[in-house]
Amino acid sequence: MSENSTEEDREVLRRRIRFRAWHRGTREMDLLMGGFADADLTRLSDAELDQFEHLLDLPDPLVFAWLAGLEGVPAEEDTALLKKVRAFRVYAAPLDV
């Protein structure tokens, strides 16, 4: 696979992830995940893109509770990417709960 084709595949993945991030099911999660995607998606590594896509696969109420600090995050889900999303929520897009 050529380098150009790989970058095109990555861009298709980013577009798919951005769409999913903005279409969560609740406005709060749309704003949190979509806002993060708009701000940071192009800077994420391939591994972080996979981790973000995994977060999008989890139930919204669970991820929202983690991001809002309403529930503790299990060790296996407490990734550097989740910390980035949480920091984005706190500093760039605060949400009063």
Side-chain angles (χ1 to χ4, degrees):
M1 186 176 280
S2 72
E3 186 176 318
N4 196 22
S5 177
T6 301
E7 186 55 38
E8 288 174 10
D9 292 344
R10 213 174 279 124
E11 186 54 36
V12 168
L13 176 63
R14 285 187 195 110
R15 283 196 307 260
R16 185 179 72 227
I17 289 172
R18 181 173 283 117
F19 180 86
R20 290 185 64 203
W22 275 109
H23 296 86
R24 303 302 312 145
T26 64
R27 190 65 182 144
E28 294 83 2
M29 286 300 287
D30 290 351
L31 293 170
L32 289 171
M33 301 300 269
F36 177 81
D38 284 352
D40 289 329
L41 206 58
T42 57
R43 292 189 290 251
L44 298 181
S45 68
D46 289 346
E48 289 173 322
L49 287 172
D50 289 342
Q51 291 172 2
F52 192 58
E53 198 164 31
H54 171 70
L55 278 178
L56 296 174
D57 289 337
L58 297 173
D60 280 350
L62 181 62
V63 177
F64 181 81
W66 295 343
L67 295 176
L70 300 174
E71 289 185 21
V73 180
E76 66 272 7
E77 299 293 349
D78 199 13
T79 63
L81 178 77
L82 183 65
K83 289 177 175 83
K84 283 183 182 182
V85 176
R86 195 175 320 142
F88 174 81
R89 188 212 51 93
V90 171
Y91 299 109
L95 177 68
D96 293 323
V97 180

